[in-house]
């Protein structure tokens, strides 16, 4: 079981432009896929996949770390944990057994923007899992107890302790977040030590009531069923759940973006930071904020992402051999999108030189020929492979914005993208200098494991 | 309509004031108005895995080809597999696998550099059972992709310049093997052997591995009669087979095997043939061991625990039953470790189990979690008790049904994509996994008594090796009541003074 909290979600770019919602059953936007919004606001996506007799569900509530009061870090994560303990109709600690005895694997995670609950299992168990998700949405709130809060706070401390054991990962992302988001911003890192101990039952009730509600949620079901035949069950289980009269305080997104734009807090002329940490490889991270006006054409941006990865691989790995791995990501956070280029360097390389080389190559993207066909083929194949895998498809659909993801439209957008449009996107999105550049230098020569080995051989 | 009394109005007003002024006010009542008792819906009977038809051909040079037609996706997934390039203690096979992808030559001799498919690298992996090279492409790109795969496997260039980043990456990988060091050393300790994996030595000799040495190793590891190609794709079988033949039929087998090739029958996927690295046999030089062993690696950080037990070979007739057992132990039983440590005691947020093969030694089950030093001894005792329960108490029917359903669903999820199916069939070829038909047959027949028998054979809490890593100074006394500790774990003045 894994409950993890991830700031700056690093998933592949997903989603489509915001579209008008519809209360009625929409025509299939993708093969075997039905999307609709129930009368209580719950977004529902049912997508058929008949390769194997299994299902996959994801229920995402648009409440997460960013909604926590400043002194209650981890409250959203705590509520996620609490939602597995009991409900009006599920006894203390029976939740996981009800799922596991049906052959279902469940998991959940909380990030800044949302909290997601996922399940996979044999198709015969789908009604049971949908019933459990109904329990979570409608009947957990009233059953929360102070004792459960104490227990789950302890579990969060255990979880955080194991994550803190990987000091590099945790500290690294805290540093990045602090550079991108000033204090007061919902994505800014907060004091963690002891924060969870301040969260009590009333806090959990407050956040759950405002966040875990139908009009703040999206349910995706992928599997070996008939969407038309499943829909009545969905309406029966979830359509009757009402929304409370209170809601989460609205975020002033305009003000927050202005606040974020004032960061990074390092010198404006050279917004870079250096970390000396016990890692096994050095690296460079480059990040660009995406202006609001450019937050569209997501599937064209996926082609840009692939093209960028291709040219950097070609130059820095195959050509100059200064790097071993390069990853490019587009993080579609609610409060601002971010491009992230991660370059893992070979030993002995100078991060400043690697950064200069990478930026020079990126600057050339907007002017020179791009590997257009390769990037398009690659992006298309990845999208088709994602669609083919039920679990990957579930994540794709739950991350989509608005009430519809259209596979054919996404493929068509990529197919119709011209080289000039791609260069224009590169010019607009990846202007020099980047918003933030981070250099990571190795501080030790060997991982502790080598030390263990030598110690064990001593008489 | 009646009006509320003054007293009621005052109370309502007070409540309204309280809820609006309190920063974490909730709307009352919290409980919804729905009435009635709800119970979990029943679960429909488990459906079988949908096993696609797999065609099998053997080329004249001995290479095995397995093909699955998968219409409607527009994609082809392929996995090349060889059982001779196995992970051993000297890491050579891993390095060779990476070196293949550095540069290669086409059949006409032209250099293929860089080796990329749609701009991406093929995915190479080497384990105790062998090496796989996986590629995916659009169906229309099959000819060029197969050409690339054939070049990589048959005609690696071992170009000195192209190998520079490979050597560097390998060194980095070896440095990052600290976790694997820990696992292997625990497994060896469980098997009664001393620590003798020389990964550091391989890192040292990396620069001296010249082209001559690499070519010799390539000839030993890569031969058609020791290879298989799995292709799952949206094309007719005949077309897929013809494409494979066009690239691989001319690959010459090793001289000494040439005469035997034509007479060898196709290898049955379900044959329980044992490979050296997959067998649980102990090396003859291993000293016999009894009793529990405690291995402590003291360092900073939250304590993590690993319990080591014997496990059957991955192609053993007991493999499926053992897989069900390990799931029951950890997650899917009513009294699973996860249920106890996570929910009852709230000591651990995660409990996991996995099987690991140590090259040349055997296969072992690792049960791992992370708990505070204050509770580590009692939690380890609970894990040992859970092992004993599986040996002595029959599994109830509902737990058995649930764990079978979970295992089947996990496998079905893997088989849902062309890539997953191709990779699974490669594991079957490498004798890492039973054939799908065999799994289904076993899932139908395995009962509680079978699981108890397998538990009694492989799980023995009295012979467990308990590995603890992290800051456990406050718990050393309690831990040492659990097993005989290694002499090297005793605190030394140097260690105490130079704590990391």
């Amino acid at each position: 079981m894994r409950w993890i909290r991830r700031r700056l979600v690093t998933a592949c770019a997903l989603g489509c432009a915001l579209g008008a919602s519809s209360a009625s059953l929409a025509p299939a936007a993708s093969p075997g896929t039905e999307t609709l919004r129930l009368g209580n606001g719950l977004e529902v996506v049912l997508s058929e996949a008949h390769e194997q007799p299994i299902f996959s569900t994801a229920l995402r509530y648009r409440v997460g770390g960013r909604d926590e009061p400043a002194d209650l870090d981890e409250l959203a994560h705590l509520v996620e944990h609490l939602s597995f303990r009991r409900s009006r109709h599920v006894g203390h600690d029976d939740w996981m057994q009800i799922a596991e005895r049906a052959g279902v694997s469940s998991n959940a995670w909380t990030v800044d923007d949302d909290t997601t609950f996922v399940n996979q299992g044999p198709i015969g168990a789908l009604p049971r899992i949908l019933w459990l998700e109904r329990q979570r949405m409608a009947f957990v709130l009233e059953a929360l107890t102070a004792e459960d809060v104490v227990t789950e706070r302890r579990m969060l401390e255990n979880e955080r302790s194991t994550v803190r054991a990987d000091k590099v990962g945790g500290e690294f992302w805290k540093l990045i977040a602090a550079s991108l988001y000033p204090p007061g911003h919902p994505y800014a890192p907060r004091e963690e030590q002891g924060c969870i101990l301040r969260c009590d039952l009333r806090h959990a009730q407050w956040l759950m009531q405002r966040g875990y509600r139908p009009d703040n949620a999206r349910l995706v079901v992928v599997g070996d069923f008939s969407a038309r035949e499943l829909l009545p069950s969905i309406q029966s289980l979830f359509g009757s759940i009402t929304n409370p009269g209170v809601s989460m305080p609205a975020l002033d997104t305009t003000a927050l973006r202005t606040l974020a734009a004032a960061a990074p807090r390092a010198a404006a002329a050279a917004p870079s930071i250096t970390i000396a940490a016990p890692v096994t490889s050095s690296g460079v991270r480059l990040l660009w904020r995406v202006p609001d006006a450019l937050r569209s054409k997501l599937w064209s941006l996926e082609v840009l992402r692939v093209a960028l990865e291709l040219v950097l691989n070609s130059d820095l790995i195959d050509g100059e051999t200064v790097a071993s791995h390069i990853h490019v990501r587009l993080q579609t956070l609610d409060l601002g999108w971010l491009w992230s280029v991660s370059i893992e360097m070979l030993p002995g390389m100078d991060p400043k030189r690697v950064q200069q080389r990478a930026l020079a190559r990126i600057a050339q993207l907007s002017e020179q020929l791009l590997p257009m066909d390769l990037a398009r083929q690659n992006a298309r194949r990845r999208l088709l492979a994602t669609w083919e895998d039920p679990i990957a498809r579930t994540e794709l659909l739950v991350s989509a914005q608005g009430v519809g993801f259209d596979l054919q439209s996404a493929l068509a957008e990529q197919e119709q993208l011209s080289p000039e449009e791609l260069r224009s996107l590169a010019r607009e999105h990846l202007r020099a200098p980047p918003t933030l550049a981070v250099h990571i230098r190795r501080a030790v020569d060997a991982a502790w494991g080598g030390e263990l080995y030598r110690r064990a051989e001593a008489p | 309509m009646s009006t509320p009394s003054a007293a009621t109005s005052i109370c309502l007003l007070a409540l309204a004031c309280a809820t609006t002024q309190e920063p974490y006010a909730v709307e009352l009542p919290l409980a919804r108005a729905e009435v009635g008792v709800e119970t979990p819906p029943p679960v429909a009977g488990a459906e079988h895995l949908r096993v696609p038809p797999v065609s099998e051909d053997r080329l004249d040079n001995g290479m095995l080809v397995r093909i699955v037609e998968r219409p409607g996706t527009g994609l082809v997934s392929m996995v090349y597999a060889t059982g001779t390039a196995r992970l051993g203690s000297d890491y050579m096979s891993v390095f060779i696998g990476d070196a293949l992808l550095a540069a290669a030559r086409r059949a006409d001799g032209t250099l293929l550099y860089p080796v990329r498919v749609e701009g991406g690298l093929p995915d190479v992996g080497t384990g105790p059972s062998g090496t796989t090279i996986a590629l995916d492409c659009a169906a229309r790109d099959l000819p060029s992709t197969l050409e690339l795969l054939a070049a990589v496997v048959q005609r690696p260039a071992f170009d000195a310049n192209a190998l520079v980043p490979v050597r560097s990456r390998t060194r980095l990988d070896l440095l990052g093997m600290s976790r694997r060091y820990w696992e292997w050393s625990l497994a060896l300790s469980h098997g009664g052997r001393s620590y003798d994996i020389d990964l550091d030595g391989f890192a040292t000799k990396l620069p001296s591995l010249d082209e001559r040495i690499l070519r010799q190793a390539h000839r030993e590891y890569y031969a058609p009669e020791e290879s298989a190609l799995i292709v799952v794709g949206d094309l007719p079988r005949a077309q897929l087979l013809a494409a494979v033949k066009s690239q691989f039929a001319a690959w010459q087998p090793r001289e000494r095997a040439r005469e035997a090739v034509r007479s060898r029958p196709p290898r049955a996927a379900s044959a329980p043939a044992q490979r050296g690295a997959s067998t649980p046999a102990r090396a003859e030089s291993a000293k016999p061991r009894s009793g529990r062993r405690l291995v402590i690696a003291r360092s900073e950080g939250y304590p993590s625990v690993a319990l080591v037990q014997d496990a059957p070979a991955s192609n053993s007739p007991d493999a499926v039953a053992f897989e069900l057992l390990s799931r029951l132990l950890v997650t899917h039983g009513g009294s699973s470790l996860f249920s106890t440590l996570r929910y009852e005691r709230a000591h651990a947020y995660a409990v996991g189990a996995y099987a690991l093969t140590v090259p040349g030694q055997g296969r072992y089950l690792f049960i791992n979690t992370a708990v505070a030093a204050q509770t580590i001894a009692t939690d380890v005792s609970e894990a040992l008790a859970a092992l004993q329960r599986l040996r002595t108490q029959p599994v109830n029917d509902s737990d058995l049904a649930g764990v079978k359903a979970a295992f089947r669903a996990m496998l079905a999820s893997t088989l849902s994509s062309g890539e997953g199916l191709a990779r699974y069939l490669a594991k079957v070829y490498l004798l890492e996994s039973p054939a799908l038909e065999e799994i289904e047959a076993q899932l139908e027949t395995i009962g509680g008594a079978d699981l108890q028998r397998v538990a009694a054979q492989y799980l023995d809490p009295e012979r467990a090796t308990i590995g603890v890593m992290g800051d456990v100074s406050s718990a050393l006394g309690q831990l040492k009541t659990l097993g005989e500790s290694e002499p090297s774990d005793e605190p030394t003045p140097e260690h105490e003074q130079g704590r990391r």
Side-chain angles (χ1 to χ4, degrees), chain B residues 233-401:
Chain B
D234 186 8
L235 286 168
R237 175 192 164 271
Q239 187 175 345
L240 290 169
L241 182 60
V244 170
K245 281 182 176 174
S246 72
Q247 296 294 337
F248 287 90
W251 189 11
Q252 293 298 307
R254 287 196 209 99
E255 287 296 327
R256 62 177 178 276
R258 189 186 292 271
E259 291 306 313
V261 161
R262 290 174 199 266
S263 60
R264 179 184 306 172
R267 183 194 332 198
S270 58
Q274 300 283 323
R275 285 193 188 281
S278 301
T279 62
R282 303 284 182 266
E284 286 183 358
S285 59
K287 52 182 188 246
R289 188 179 72 76
S290 62
R292 286 191 214 131
R293 177 166 291 192
L294 179 67
V295 181
I296 301 175
R298 284 194 282 175
S299 64
E300 292 174 8
Y302 200 72
S304 60
V305 180
L307 231 66
V308 187
Q309 294 279 271
D310 292 335
S314 50
N315 60 340
S316 157
D318 293 333
V320 174
F322 193 80
E323 175 74 27
L324 298 178
L325 261 183
S326 63
R327 284 167 182 269
L328 277 171
L329 173 67
V330 172
T331 54
H332 278 82
S335 57
S336 71
L337 276 175
F338 182 74
S339 180
T340 306
L341 297 184
R342 169 68 178 87
Y343 281 100
E344 281 182 33
R345 298 185 182 184
H347 287 174
Y349 98 98
V351 183
Y354 57 92
L356 177 78
T357 300
V358 177
Q361 302 304 323
R363 195 164 169 81
Y364 304 93
L365 176 70
F366 279 72
I367 304 149
N368 58 331
T369 187
V371 294
Q374 301 93 303
T375 65
I376 196 169
T378 57
D379 292 333
V380 170
S381 297
E382 174 58 33
L384 295 170
L387 289 170
Q388 185 61 17
R389 280 196 294 273
L390 282 177
R391 287 163 57 90
T392 57
Q393 296 173 17
V395 176
N396 68 54
D397 290 342
S398 70
D399 280 351
L400 182 59

Side-chain angles (χ1 to χ4, degrees), chain B residues 78 133 167 177 186 189 193 222-223 236-237 244 253 297 302 316 330 348 358 393 397 409 419 422 425 471:
Chain B
M78 60 191 89
I133 302 173
R167 293 185 206 274
M177 287 276 286
L186 279 182
S189 179
R193 288 178 61 87
Y222 291 85
R237 175 192 164 271
V244 170
Y302 200 72
S316 157
V330 172
V358 177
Q393 296 173 17
D397 290 342
E419 181 189 347
L425 291 175
D471 183 3

Side-chain angles (χ1 to χ4, degrees), chain A residues 108-338:
Chain A
W109 58 83
T110 301
V111 295
D112 281 314
D113 289 342
D114 44 61
T115 302
T116 307
F117 299 89
V118 295
N119 303 277
Q120 297 97 34
I123 192 63
L126 178 58
R128 174 169 288 200
I129 291 309
L130 292 175
W131 179 86
L132 272 179
E133 292 300 343
R134 164 181 164 79
Q135 294 303 305
R136 194 192 318 275
M137 188 181 286
F139 299 113
V140 165
L141 175 63
E142 69 192 65
L144 295 180
T145 67
E147 183 190 354
D148 286 345
V149 170
V150 169
T151 301
E152 289 304 329
R153 279 195 328 220
R154 194 157 75 235
M155 278 295 88
L156 280 181
E157 270 303 298
N158 176 284
E159 183 177 346
R160 293 296 293 272
S161 295
T162 60
V163 172
R164 276 198 289 265
D166 174 15
K167 289 180 183 171
V168 172
E171 293 302 315
F172 175 73
W173 286 114
K174 202 195 291 189
L175 207 61
I176 296 267
S179 299
L180 289 171
Y181 307 108
H185 192 283
Y187 291 166
R190 281 168 267 173
E191 176 61 43
E192 293 175 354
Q193 295 286 344
C195 246
I196 192 60
L197 297 176
R198 290 198 282 269
C199 297
D200 62 26
L201 177 61
R202 67 198 164 109
H203 302 131
Q205 290 171 333
W206 173 86
L207 188 131
M208 187 169 225
Q209 185 173 61
R210 282 160 173 74
Y212 285 53
R213 48 191 292 155
D215 62 358
N216 197 39
R218 183 180 187 93
L219 171 66
V220 173
V221 188
V222 176
D224 186 23
F225 53 79
S226 159
R228 294 252 167 202
E229 290 176 15
L230 182 62
L231 183 57
S233 299
I234 299 287
Q235 287 175 323
S236 167
L237 285 168
F238 295 96
S240 62
I241 301 175
T242 56
N243 292 290
V246 292
S247 56
M248 195 64 71
L251 293 170
D252 184 346
T253 52
T254 303
L256 287 172
R257 289 199 186 104
T258 304
L259 183 66
R265 298 168 63 77
S272 68
I273 53 178
T274 299
I275 305 173
V279 296
T280 54
S281 64
S282 304
V284 172
R285 302 284 189 275
L286 305 171
L287 296 118
W288 286 261
R289 265 192 240 283
V290 177
D292 286 352
L294 300 180
R295 291 175 60 177
S296 64
K297 288 185 168 289
L298 202 47
W299 296 108
S300 302
L301 292 178
E302 171 63 7
V303 179
L304 174 61
R305 187 193 71 76
V306 173
L308 183 53
E309 228 170 49
L310 289 177
V311 299
L312 289 176
N313 276 326
S314 172
D315 206 41
L316 301 181
I317 297 181
D318 303 330
E320 283 209 29
T321 61
V322 296
S324 60
H325 295 89
I326 295 175
H327 297 290
V328 179
R329 295 181 180 89
L330 175 62
Q331 301 168 356
T332 55
L333 304 171
D334 280 359
L335 299 180
W337 291 6
L338 277 177

Side-chain angles (χ1 to χ4, degrees), chain B residues 2 107 123 358 429 479:
Chain B
S2 61
D123 180 32
V358 177
Y429 170 76
L479 280 171

